[in-house]
Amino acid sequence: MDVHHALVARARAGDRAALEDLLGQVRPLVQRRCRRVLPYPQDAEEAAQDALLTIATRLDTWAARGSFEAWAAMVATNQARMTYRTLKRRSFERGLDAAPETADPARTSVVAGTRLDLLDAIEALEERHPETVEALVLRDLGGLPYDEIATILGVALGTVKARIHTARRFVRAQLTAGADA
């Protein structure tokens, strides 16, 4: 049984102390997950706070098919991706006039560029092969084992492996095409 199961049950029943304890326990995991996805610390912190709020208000959606930590990590990853899409949309809305003429070295790195390229590739994957995204994110960003992913998604192990294979092939092509541009 998941070590968080009892806390979740108490929090769902309205126990505020249990909810605070539960959020305190998953906060480091949520923050790490958001930092893995978003390159800038302030963006990652914003996403982590939003993810914790989502966890707190959506506890009833955890079906206990996988571990609570895996569910919380997925919520955090999805929130980080949503934050990225929002930030990207805002930058397009502001237009090129709002973009700095030179990159700020404090906010630019090879790792940051790589993560942003990956997020763009995952966005393209979501458009072309939406059924593969969760499996890829849980495995490659979440580091979960295939069997736990199968449990979380409620599909066969072979289906998980096939989805991840399809997603990786697509993302690899997107990243390679971006590098050639």
Side-chain angles (χ1 to χ4, degrees), residues 25-164:
Q25 288 181 27
V26 298
R27 183 181 320 276
L29 167 76
V30 168
Q31 290 171 326
R32 279 192 313 274
R33 185 53 45 95
C34 290
R35 283 194 305 267
R36 271 182 92 175
V37 174
L38 293 164
Y40 305 122
Q42 59 272 32
D43 298 339
E45 184 57 35
E46 177 184 332
Q49 292 303 317
D50 290 343
L52 288 167
L53 179 62
T54 299
I55 290 167
T57 59
R58 305 285 317 262
L59 272 179
D60 59 319
T61 65
W62 178 54
R65 285 189 305 207
S67 72
F68 179 76
E69 283 188 350
W71 178 78
M74 189 65 199
V75 169
T77 301
N78 286 338
Q79 184 59 55
R81 291 176 54 226
M82 206 174 340
T83 298
Y84 171 71
R85 283 193 291 269
T86 299
L87 293 169
K88 186 175 174 181
R89 187 183 69 250
R90 282 185 204 153
S91 73
F92 284 129
E93 287 170 357
R94 283 188 291 238
L96 294 176
D97 294 336
E101 290 195 30
T102 58
D104 177 357
R107 290 181 55 107
T108 306
S109 71
V110 173
V111 173
T114 302
R115 280 190 255 174
L116 295 177
D117 292 342
L118 177 61
L119 289 170
D120 285 339
I122 291 173
E123 228 176 85
L125 176 67
E126 200 160 34
E127 290 174 18
R128 293 282 308 275
H129 304 284
E131 72 286 355
T132 67
V133 174
E134 272 191 294
L136 177 77
V137 168
L138 288 168
R139 179 68 186 156
D140 290 355
L141 295 178
L144 295 180
Y146 291 104
D147 57 337
E148 189 168 355
I149 296 168
T151 301
I152 291 168
L153 298 180
V155 298
L157 183 61
T159 301
V160 167
K161 289 180 178 181
R163 287 179 181 179
I164 291 171

